[in-house]
Amino acid sequence: MVSNELVLGALLALNVVLYASLVFAALRLRRRKFSASSLSDAFKGLELALKEAVPDLPSGFTWEEAVARLRSSGVHTEPMEGALKSYEAYLYGGAPLPDVDYREVVNVANMIGGMPQGKRGGGASIGR
Amino acid sequence: MEALALGAEIRDRVLSEVGKVVVGRERETDLILTCLLARGHVLLEGVPGVSKTLVANAFSKCLGLQFRRVQFTPDILPLDIIGGFIFNLKDREFEFRKGPVFTNILLADEINRAPPKVQSALLESMQEFQVTVEGRTEKLPSPFMVIATQNPMEFEGVYPLLEGQLDRFMVKVSFGYPTPEVEAGILKRNLSSMDLNDVKVVVTAAELDAMVREVDSVTVSDDILAYLARMADATRSESSLVLGASPRAMVQLLHCARARALLRGRGYVTPDDVKTIASEVLTHRLTVDRAAALKGVSRNPEGVLTAILDRVEPPR
């Protein structure tokens, strides 16, 4: 015959496991993958993802510093560096917005955790 | 060759040539080259024996520029720097004899050992690229750059440069002790004889002239200008500073950022160009409040400036 204490203990343990998995799932849901419709959006999304994923990154960070930080954390930034160069030429050099592949920028943003829920960067949107 | 590509190539050539005789001073050489293109003057600060003079010498040699070195001492006179009128017994008239300032690169060694009168004698040449003696004005050769050195550890028998004089120097480059790896490289380099004659001229006068003019065509967006303005405002409203960045300092930072962009083969300035070089351009013009220093704020304005730069958001 199983004692009441044992049943109570088992139920309690089950509760803890259930609630822990619920909290874990809720935390995971807070970050969702985002997609971007332009190079500009991709970098806006990456900026938001960076601010969320690297809280000690100072607000005055530059792209070069951010890339160096990502690289030191083991993120392969080489594939997105070409897109960054084109984006900077557009942003600071007055060049037209280039038609370059920005998927790598989106990939890096998603790799570091995507955008926090409820935040939107330009035309970047949260995907499912 | 396209001007932008030439800018990056000149930088590579100079760093590599200076690197033949100086180990581990790429950053410092790069800053001096940036300053030359931006038509500024450099103050090198460091203890004796950290290759300040060697860098200056090798740098001017690889550019094929005329180089003169003046050792500043307490008994030096303005005449010894800028020149003056000397009576010519043969022609029985006074003639102007040019001083060592009539050169492309003037190394003012241990500038803080000379009295303020001599330091001030350099001001006109640094600011207006000309010398006036008894109403006669003489233009200096172009390019003209003063590379001054000073030892920060000396307190006796020195005349510290005043704020107004410091402001004339576009950048202040600190020469620290080398890292153990670089030190090993220096020792290895000195196993064989080292001769400045090994340094070859790697940039022609025409290339250098073209680069100096090309700096003016580097694009600076309105966003970058606004970033610079926010940065200036932040230094002026910082409570731990009694003296923030002057408008002249910000203009010089802008010129330096343009030259830096050109030397990286870019026709536009990025926030990195501004932020990377801001410390060398601004630190020697900032004064930390003594009361703040007593409350634990670093006496060194570099720490205060770093905190400001980390706070001011660049355009992204």
Side-chain angles (χ1 to χ4, degrees), chain B residues 46-314:
Chain B
V47 294
V50 287
S51 69
K52 300 188 293 290
T53 309
L54 186 62
V55 168
N57 224 326
F59 175 76
S60 54
K61 193 135 198 252
C62 76
L63 294 175
L65 298 173
Q66 197 187 3
F67 174 80
R68 288 206 183 154
R69 174 184 177 171
V70 179
Q71 188 67 43
F72 278 52
T73 53
D75 59 350
I76 200 169
L77 297 170
L79 182 86
D80 300 325
I81 311 290
I82 58 174
F85 285 92
I86 307 252
F87 188 70
N88 186 332
L89 283 171
K90 195 175 161 193
D91 299 334
R92 303 194 68 76
E93 61 181 26
F94 282 96
E95 65 176 29
F96 182 70
R97 185 166 291 177
K98 291 177 176 178
V101 75
F102 287 87
T103 185
N104 294 120
I105 294 186
L106 176 73
L107 176 64
D109 220 358
E110 296 188 272
I111 193 168
N112 54 342
R113 287 204 160 272
K117 194 162 75 174
V118 180
Q119 293 169 359
S120 302
L122 266 179
L123 289 186
E124 186 192 6
S125 51
M126 290 170 75
Q127 184 70 29
E128 294 166 39
F129 298 96
Q130 65 180 31
V131 164
T132 304
V133 182
E134 291 181 30
R136 177 180 167 145
T137 301
E138 290 273 342
K139 287 270 171 211
L140 293 172
S142 177
F144 171 73
M145 178 163 79
V146 173
I147 301 179
T149 71
Q150 68 174 9
N151 176 0
M153 302 305 284
E154 284 178 330
F155 299 104
E156 281 184 33
V158 294
Y159 304 88
L161 294 170
L162 302 172
E163 277 78 10
Q165 288 161 333
L166 281 172
D167 205 33
R168 279 356 189 245
F169 287 98
M170 187 175 262
V171 298
K172 186 176 93 171
V173 185
S174 294
F175 274 62
Y177 281 120
T179 60
E181 293 78 27
V182 173
E183 185 99 44
I186 294 169
L187 295 172
K188 193 176 175 186
R189 177 69 194 78
N190 279 273
L191 286 175
S192 56
S193 64
M194 191 173 63
D195 190 355
L196 265 176
N197 289 327
D198 292 343
V199 178
K200 302 278 180 286
V201 177
V202 290
V203 182
T204 66
E207 284 176 328
L208 189 62
D209 189 46
M211 280 302 99
V212 171
R213 277 185 281 109
E214 192 62 28
V215 171
D216 292 337
S217 55
V218 172
T219 305
V220 186
S221 70
D222 289 345
D223 285 344
I224 294 286
L225 293 177
Y227 175 50
L228 281 159
R230 287 199 301 275
M231 198 182 279
D233 185 53
T235 65
R236 291 167 202 160
S237 55
E238 172 66 42
S239 59
S240 55
L241 293 176
V242 281
L243 194 63
S246 66
R248 175 163 50 202
M250 297 316 289
V251 170
Q252 297 208 333
L253 177 55
L254 173 65
H255 290 325
C256 259
R258 286 176 117 183
R260 186 182 186 273
L262 181 64
L263 288 169
R264 275 145 189 83
R266 266 188 283 106
Y268 54 89
V269 171
T270 66
D272 285 297
D273 292 321
V274 176
K275 197 175 172 185
T276 308
I277 216 158
S279 174
E280 278 80 11
V281 179
L282 301 181
T283 300
H284 61 289
R285 304 163 202 264
L286 306 176
T287 309
V288 176
D289 184 13
R290 286 182 187 183
L294 286 172
K295 286 176 196 160
V297 174
S298 167
R299 272 180 179 273
N300 187 352
E302 198 167 348
V304 180
L305 183 65
T306 304
I308 290 171
L309 293 175
D310 280 346
R311 218 167 52 220
V312 179
E313 273 201 49

Side-chain angles (χ1 to χ4, degrees), chain A residues 43-44 47 51 57-65 84-94, chain B residues 219-221 223-224 227 260 266-272 275-276 309-316:
Chain A
F43 276 102
K44 286 275 178 277
E47 184 184 338
K51 283 178 178 170
L57 194 66
S59 55
F61 79 88
T62 63
W63 281 120
E64 204 171 287
E65 288 169 340
L84 175 60
K85 210 173 168 185
S86 303
Y87 180 60
E88 287 193 324
Y90 156 72
L91 204 60
Y92 312 120
Chain B
T219 305
V220 186
S221 70
D223 285 344
I224 294 286
Y227 175 50
R260 186 182 186 273
R266 266 188 283 106
Y268 54 89
V269 171
T270 66
D272 285 297
K275 197 175 172 185
T276 308
L309 293 175
D310 280 346
R311 218 167 52 220
V312 179
E313 273 201 49
R316 282 191 287 259

Side-chain angles (χ1 to χ4, degrees), chain A residues 57 62-75 77 81 84:
Chain A
L57 194 66
T62 63
W63 281 120
E64 204 171 287
E65 288 169 340
V67 167
R69 184 71 185 265
L70 288 171
R71 212 181 292 138
S72 69
S73 311
V75 178
T77 55
E81 282 173 31
L84 175 60

Side-chain angles (χ1 to χ4, degrees), chain A residues 27-37 41-42 45-46 48-49 103 105-121 123-128:
Chain A
L27 281 175
R28 284 199 61 164
L29 270 174
R30 278 179 62 81
R31 296 183 176 284
R32 291 184 183 175
K33 288 190 172 183
F34 86 95
S35 59
S37 56
D41 295 342
L46 178 60
L48 290 174
R103 275 176 301 182
V105 183
V106 175
N107 285 347
V108 169
N110 282 326
M111 194 188 300
I112 61 172
M115 275 198 301
Q117 203 171 31
K119 289 193 179 176
R120 298 176 77 86
S125 60
I126 299 168
R128 293 278 169 196

